[in-house]
Amino acid sequence: MFNDSDCLRILEQAMSTTADFAEVFQEEASAKSVSLLNGKVIKAGTSFSSGTGIRLLAGTNAVYVYSNDSDIEVILKLAKEAAQAIKGGTKSQMAELQKLCRTSAAYVVTDPMSVKKSDTVDFLRKSSDYALGYDPLITQVASSYSAVDRLARVVNTRGVNKEDQTKRIRLSVEAVATKGNEKQSGRVAPGTMRGYEFIDEYPIIEKTQECCDTAIRMVNAGYAPSGKMAVVLSNGFGGVIFHEACGHALEATAVGIKSSYFTDMLGKQIASPIVSARDNAKIKGEWGSYETDDEGNESSDLLLIENGILKNYLVDELGSRRMNMKPTGCCRRQDYSYNPTSRMSNTYICAGESTKDEIIANTEYGLYCTQMGGGSVDTSTGDFNFAANEAFMIRNGKIAEPVRGATLIGKGQEILKNIDMVGNDLELSAGMCGSISGSVPVTVGQPTIRVSSILVGGRDAE
Amino acid sequence: MDIKKAEEFMTKLIEEGTKFGFEDCEASYADDISMSVDILNGEVSSYEQSSDQGVSFRGFKNGQMGYCSTTSFDDAAVKFMLESAMENCEVLNDDDREFIYCDENNKNLHFSQLTEAYEKNTYNRFAELGLKLENAILALDSRINAVDYLSISCSRGPALIINSKGLHSYRDTDGMSIFAGCHATDADGSVKSGAHYWVGNDIDKFDMDKFLAKLSDNILGKMGAKSCKSGNYKVIMENEAFMQFMSAFLGNTFATVMQKGLSLLDGKEGTKIASDCFTLKEVPMYEDALSKYPFDDEGVLTTEKAIIDKGVFATAFYNLKSANKAGKPSTGNGFKSGGTIGTSPTNLLVVPGDKDFNALCEAAGEGIILTDLSGLHAGVNAISGDFSLLCEGYLIENGKKGRPVEQITAAGNFYEMLKQIIEVGNDIINVPAGLGEFFTPSVMFSNISISGES
């Protein structure tokens, strides 16, 4: 990392023409990982990376340059080139640099980087041993662990001088069941910003059994039906639909250029009155949390939707200039090689009043999705699609047979209005989110919810 | 840091690695130099320029291969790399051996494909072209409200690998791309988005009229789209959609995936898996490809080969490790992936048939053209081959492209679909995929289940 005076020299070069704002982002990240397949350790890796990104703004024009060269002269030259490329704006002054301060949303007792890989291997092997002896249908079990320690420093022309440290660990267990030519899998992949004690406390056997049960159920299941029907989404990762179909459309990346279907909708009813949602980056120890964002602003617990009314967008510095709103501390990037932008953190639909059992009992016919796969959304049209990794039919208010191969299809803005029951069992679930500033850790979440009608793309007609 | 200094650091790593106790070791260096210009609302909204270098090391000891990578190239980094790689070696107990390799007859591999045209890639050229393109897109039709995304970028990257067995391999490449996405609003308020891209290695070869015609087709052609009746249809998967569809399942042809029991193609080499009219080849040195690959990252020479030959699964993709396990030679597909040696195809080609796109529609008579498949990363089960995907496209009516359709899903099974290919067109396009490009025409299937309106 460059010292204060070097950072100031970089900023001076960056501001030597017409930029009205400049920022130096420095990052150091260490990572270690280990992967097992059927009890054998087949991959073990370690890496270190560091680099510097320099961003210049002149109004809404941006220039971003980066390099992982540690030679200050190379970085100064890069800053000068960036200054020559910026268009518009007027020469601006720099504020006095504040004293460096460090923040962290990590909640760590035992530093994951201090734990020997052999200890982690012993832990993961418990999962493999259990799964392979669980049922003859289970033919594969893959498990992995990774830990990343990242220190990100932001110095900018407004005098900001902050470091934010994140320490994340992620665990993954996937069991595959085979029956003839059919292979289906069950997976859990928790992530956290707690320390290695999270691993020590994790009920690995119980979770491995859940993976095996899902894989076995799905390999024996028939195909999901096609057509419009009521869909109950279970708590936790079911929130991926809100994340994809609504969350992305609330980011300044889309709203700021008026390409989102939620543009100019603040204060308007965009969801059913029983829906409230938040993006809360401040939850200590949570996978998607951080205290200081990647442009030096304090993170926030942001109310997105309250009783169906749109309350806030996710706004970063560039978005704030386009939208004439204050940044909400949501600017993120995968690493120094990405120009940062507005992103989600821990995004969830708030708990309601119904119990899961009430929601199921009130559904005559429909689909109950207990494990969701990934999905995608077009934020200009609202079109989305998601895969259900595990699902059951609901018949006469009861959970009936398991079904596989279901995809949920619709428009984000319609789904929000069609949520007609919200459970009281809010749960968060870790994932990775991809967008123009790279892949960042996020959690999605929700209680059990029911959507009155979604198009289910399956293979069987009912 | 220039490549000479990187080579000094790598040589030191190899020397110290041998002293540190590794039986064999290898260091590789890659640099990614790139530049991009984004256009928004008549201005250059973003300009990016970068250089990103890294060295990775792998050391072999007691039958195991430990890896480590860094972006720092000092003496402390040498110590960190060797100690970390050794710790990784010690926890591994992989039954399948990985190799550090050098072909005695091909110790020095050198392949440079940097172009003179790359020098034309300047901020000013990109800005000028981008602004002109944005204007031209907005002028296509009054329903196009905004160009949401327009980016012109270029990159070049040298890569060097040296190892203790004497391999010295150098390869470089460069290229540029243009991507534009926009949305249009119809009189009834319905919104459609569309995008198009171009890849090449000479900015002067960009054909703006052709680009605009395709983008216009992608967005305006779909205005007024609505669903269609559920049922089983004859389907033409348009070239780009077919490439995306094949790519989602391509991993099943990797020997590493097969050997893990995660592909139903395991044990099927030499057997019929697709229709007679379907041939998929890997052509590493394909003439029209922007990046060519005479050798892989393990120092193995590549060869042109059929993967599926007239419906028969001719060979899987092998690297040295999976080839050793199968008792076969490597197919030259050992390429770095996620820090370790994985498996990757280079340039792929679906061998074209005789019919152009219109003739395919004529042959279909009635059916559906699928142009866009959404959620390929989510709506497919790569292991079982099951898929259920949100699609857009057109009806085929009386042998001609008819009205646009949306909000439909196509569902089926990849392996069953391979046997339902009844025609392969000749409208080949190139789409960037993995290390190289995928060259494919449109393909017709006899029967796909479509869910739409009841």
Side-chain angles (χ1 to χ4, degrees):
Chain A
M1 294 265 184
F2 298 118
N3 59 30
D4 282 3
S5 82
D6 282 343
C7 289
L8 284 172
R9 286 173 70 200
I10 298 168
L11 289 177
E12 277 162 14
Q13 282 295 350
M15 295 292 279
S16 61
T17 58
T18 58
D20 61 59
F21 172 85
E23 160 197 278
V24 179
F25 177 84
Q26 294 180 82
E27 182 184 49
E28 283 183 357
S30 300
K32 54 204 281 191
S33 62
V34 60
S35 304
L36 274 70
L37 181 70
N38 295 337
K40 295 281 181 188
V41 185
I42 57 160
K43 266 189 188 173
T46 310
S47 68
F48 172 79
S49 64
S50 66
T52 305
I54 305 164
R55 182 167 63 142
L56 282 66
L57 295 177
T60 55
N61 295 335
V63 168
Y64 190 71
V65 293
Y66 68 87
S67 171
N68 59 6
D69 206 310
S70 55
D71 183 342
I72 183 66
E73 297 305 324
V74 171
I75 302 300
L76 287 169
K77 183 167 170 278
L78 201 57
K80 192 171 180 182
E81 287 168 4
Q84 283 157 359
I86 194 85
K87 299 283 181 269
T90 49
K91 193 164 171 55
S92 303
Q93 298 301 308
M94 286 165 50
E96 193 180 333
L97 194 63
Q98 295 159 12
K99 196 166 171 253
L100 178 66
C101 76
R102 181 181 289 193
T103 59
S104 180
Y107 186 63
V108 172
V109 178
T110 305
D111 187 346
M113 302 312 277
S114 71
V115 177
K116 277 190 197 162
K117 277 205 176 123
S118 51
D119 292 348
T120 309
V121 167
D122 291 343
F123 169 78
L124 293 175
R125 198 165 270 138
K126 286 184 207 165
S127 167
S128 311
D129 291 350
Y130 182 80
L132 292 170
Y134 183 68
D135 189 292
L137 285 175
I138 300 295
T139 51
Q140 298 280 338
V141 58
S143 53
S144 66
Y145 164 89
S146 63
V148 180
D149 189 339
R150 174 198 195 236
L151 185 63
R153 181 177 182 197
V154 178
V155 178
N156 71 27
T157 48
R158 292 187 190 135
V160 166
N161 189 6
K162 283 185 179 176
E163 281 181 343
D164 191 69
Q165 185 161 39
T166 50
K167 288 171 177 278
R168 294 190 168 93
I169 53 181
R170 187 127 200 235
L171 177 68
S172 164
V173 174
E174 183 171 28
V176 177
T178 306
K179 192 177 173 189
N181 272 349
E182 285 299 329
K183 283 181 189 285
Q184 293 284 333
S185 62
R187 183 169 183 255
V188 289
T192 184
M193 260 220 283
R194 290 183 56 209
Y196 200 80
E197 58 279 6
F198 173 83
I199 296 294
D200 291 333
E201 293 163 14
Y202 191 73
I204 186 78
I205 299 296
E206 191 184 309
K207 294 292 178 186
T208 303
Q209 185 178 339
E210 285 176 17
C211 293
C212 293
D213 288 342
T214 296
I216 291 167
R217 260 197 301 274
M218 287 299 105
V219 84
N220 286 318
Y223 288 113
S226 303
K228 285 197 167 177
M229 62 189 79
V231 172
V232 176
L233 298 162
S234 77
N235 62 353
F237 204 68
V240 72
I241 297 199
F242 180 79
H243 170 99
E244 296 284 357
C246 306
H248 279 298
L250 297 176
E251 291 169 344
T253 316
V255 182
I257 59 169
K258 298 188 182 295
S259 78
S260 163
Y261 45 82
F262 288 137
T263 305
D264 300 327
M265 297 285 274
L266 273 187
K268 294 186 180 157
Q269 190 88 33
I270 63 161
S272 149
I274 55 171
V275 173
S276 293
R278 308 190 82 87
D279 182 81
N280 183 358
K282 294 188 95 64
I283 309 170
K284 205 83 173 161
E286 191 51 73
W287 171 250
S289 298
Y290 51 89
E291 272 295 323
T292 303
D293 76 357
D294 288 342
E295 58 185 7
N297 289 323
E298 185 183 348
S299 64
S300 63
D301 173 8
L302 193 67
L303 180 63
L304 298 174
I305 299 170
E306 186 176 40
N307 302 326
I309 311 281
L310 179 60
K311 290 291 184 183
N312 280 294
Y313 295 116
L314 293 151
V315 186
D316 63 327
E317 172 66 30
L318 182 61
S320 80
R321 292 168 179 233
R322 287 180 175 148
M323 297 158 70
N324 202 20
M325 288 177 185
K326 281 188 177 169
T328 59
C330 65
C331 190
R332 303 182 72 186
R333 54 184 123 196
Q334 178 178 322
D335 58 41
Y336 65 88
S337 69
Y338 289 86
N339 193 355
T341 190
S342 52
R343 302 294 293 269
M344 284 173 270
S345 58
N346 307 301
T347 314
Y348 54 89
I349 295 175
C350 304
E353 290 172 358
S354 308
T355 65
K356 183 188 103 177
D357 292 345
E358 284 166 0
I359 295 174
I360 300 286
N362 273 290
T363 307
E364 188 68 17
Y365 173 79
L367 189 73
Y368 177 40
C369 300
T370 48
Q371 282 193 24
M372 297 303 298
S376 63
V377 64
D378 181 334
T379 53
S380 60
T381 62
D383 291 335
F384 72 76
N385 68 97
F386 292 89
N389 281 355
E390 185 183 49
F392 299 82
M393 294 310 298
I394 303 174
R395 298 180 194 280
N396 304 319
K398 291 196 171 67
I399 297 169
E401 76 279 9
V403 287
R404 67 184 157 103
T407 306
L408 308 183
I409 292 145
K411 287 189 183 284
Q413 55 276 51
E414 288 170 14
I415 292 302
L416 272 182
K417 289 182 177 160
N418 289 342
I419 295 174
D420 61 0
M421 291 187 88
V422 178
N424 59 7
D425 53 348
L426 172 64
E427 193 176 291
L428 300 183
S429 183
M432 294 300 292
C433 167
S435 183
I436 56 171
S437 67
S439 177
V440 299
V442 296
T443 60
V444 299
Q446 64 174 41
T448 302
I449 62 167
R450 185 176 75 175
V451 183
S452 57
S453 174
I454 300 186
L455 175 63
V456 175
R459 286 187 67 179
D460 282 2
E462 278 224 344
Chain B
M1 187 171 70
D2 64 25
I3 195 162
K4 278 189 181 166
K5 282 189 180 162
E7 189 166 350
E8 284 170 22
F9 175 75
M10 292 159 73
T11 305
K12 190 167 184 183
L13 262 179
I14 303 278
E15 285 169 4
E16 295 295 321
T18 308
K19 287 183 205 160
F20 201 73
F22 289 107
E23 295 157 35
D24 279 309
C25 39
E26 185 173 274
S28 55
Y29 161 86
D31 190 5
D32 180 17
I33 303 150
S34 65
M35 193 258 288
S36 71
V37 169
D38 291 357
I39 305 292
L40 186 70
N41 298 333
E43 288 186 329
V44 174
S45 61
S46 172
Y47 166 69
E48 290 189 30
Q49 185 196 321
S50 69
S51 166
D52 216 7
Q53 318 164 30
V55 166
S56 68
F57 172 87
R58 57 181 185 143
F60 185 80
K61 192 183 178 189
N62 296 334
Q64 305 297 326
M65 191 77 77
Y67 281 84
C68 185
S69 69
T70 186
T71 59
S72 173
F73 308 129
D74 51 19
D75 284 348
V78 172
K79 186 168 179 286
F80 162 76
M81 298 274 271
L82 299 179
E83 285 177 358
S84 301
M86 190 60 86
E87 186 199 8
N88 291 331
C89 250
E90 283 163 1
V91 296
L92 287 160
N93 64 341
D94 193 356
D95 292 334
D96 305 324
R97 183 178 167 173
E98 200 171 312
F99 294 84
I100 284 173
Y101 175 80
C102 177
D103 177 348
E104 280 301 312
N105 300 315
N106 293 289
K107 283 189 163 189
N108 286 299
L109 301 169
H110 186 97
F111 186 66
S112 180
Q113 45 196 335
L114 298 183
T115 57
E116 281 182 19
Y118 193 84
E119 303 305 326
K120 298 177 197 169
N121 297 334
T122 61
Y123 169 83
N124 287 336
R125 279 297 299 273
F126 280 14
E128 185 193 345
L129 175 62
L131 292 167
K132 197 172 153 193
L133 182 59
E134 189 191 41
N135 271 330
I137 293 170
L138 290 169
L140 277 173
D141 192 286
S142 59
R143 290 171 293 179
I144 296 181
N145 321 85
V147 179
D148 300 323
Y149 190 71
L150 198 166
S151 182
I152 306 180
S153 60
C154 62
S155 68
R156 76 191 323 176
L160 175 69
I161 301 172
I162 57 174
N163 70 29
S164 57
K165 289 213 157 137
L167 177 70
H168 187 283
S169 127
Y170 173 85
R171 186 183 164 279
D172 60 33
T173 188
D174 64 28
M176 65 168 294
S177 64
I178 299 175
F179 182 84
C182 55
H183 71 269
T185 309
D186 219 344
D188 66 358
S190 64
V191 179
K192 272 283 162 204
S193 66
H196 191 45
Y197 64 90
W198 176 81
V199 289
N201 52 16
D202 184 347
I203 192 169
D204 287 331
K205 289 186 181 162
F206 173 65
D207 183 338
M208 192 182 295
D209 291 340
K210 196 173 162 192
F211 185 92
L212 289 168
K214 180 65 182 162
L215 180 64
S216 171
D217 193 35
N218 284 354
I219 183 163
L220 300 173
K222 289 175 187 160
M223 300 301 282
K226 52 183 199 272
S227 189
C228 65
K229 282 210 170 352
S230 297
N232 291 328
Y233 287 82
K234 203 173 267 185
V235 164
I236 297 172
M237 223 181 252
E238 207 180 46
N239 38 30
E240 192 175 338
F242 182 68
M243 171 268 163
Q244 291 169 359
F245 180 72
M246 282 300 290
S247 297
F249 295 100
L250 199 63
N252 290 318
T253 59
F254 297 179
T256 40
V257 176
M258 287 160 47
Q259 289 168 358
K260 284 177 188 166
L262 297 174
S263 165
L264 295 178
L265 291 178
D266 190 21
K268 298 270 175 68
E269 278 166 291
T271 68
K272 195 86 190 294
I273 61 163
S275 302
D276 292 344
C277 63
F278 188 69
T279 294
L280 172 70
K281 284 178 151 182
E282 189 202 24
V283 191
M285 300 297 283
Y286 193 62
E287 199 182 345
D288 294 339
L290 293 171
S291 284
K292 299 177 176 65
Y293 291 86
F295 47 85
D296 70 6
D297 288 348
E298 294 186 293
V300 176
L301 301 188
T302 59
T303 52
E304 177 175 334
K305 57 196 164 283
I307 304 304
I308 299 174
D309 190 7
K310 294 178 185 156
V312 174
F313 182 30
T315 180
F317 292 101
Y318 290 91
N319 59 20
L320 284 170
K321 181 178 176 177
S322 56
N324 178 61
K325 186 168 185 179
K328 294 182 172 185
S330 166
T331 54
N333 293 101
F335 288 96
K336 280 196 170 285
S337 161
T340 59
I341 291 285
T343 307
S344 243
T346 56
N347 294 300
L348 294 169
L349 170 71
V350 172
V351 176
D354 299 327
K355 293 188 171 71
D356 64 17
F357 188 75
N358 290 335
L360 281 182
C361 291
E362 220 166 278
E366 305 292 321
I368 287 182
I369 299 162
L370 297 180
T371 57
D372 294 89
L373 312 177
S374 300
L376 274 159
H377 62 295
V380 301
N381 181 327
I383 299 179
S384 67
D386 287 342
F387 65 89
S388 176
L389 299 165
L390 175 62
C391 301
E392 286 185 359
Y394 300 87
L395 289 180
I396 306 169
E397 297 164 318
N398 299 318
K400 292 200 162 46
K401 183 169 158 179
R403 72 162 175 92
V405 289
E406 65 165 10
Q407 291 283 302
I408 55 170
T409 58
N413 181 280
F414 170 70
Y415 297 105
E416 289 166 21
M417 294 264 301
L418 284 180
K419 291 176 181 160
Q420 288 172 7
I421 296 174
I422 48 175
E423 288 276 2
V424 177
N426 65 7
D427 53 337
I428 286 193
I429 56 156
N430 62 318
V431 188
L435 295 173
E437 289 154 88
F438 202 132
F439 295 82
T440 183
S442 301
V443 167
M444 183 155 74
F445 297 90
S446 58
N447 184 4
I448 297 184
S449 161
I450 301 284
S451 304
E453 295 164 337
S454 48

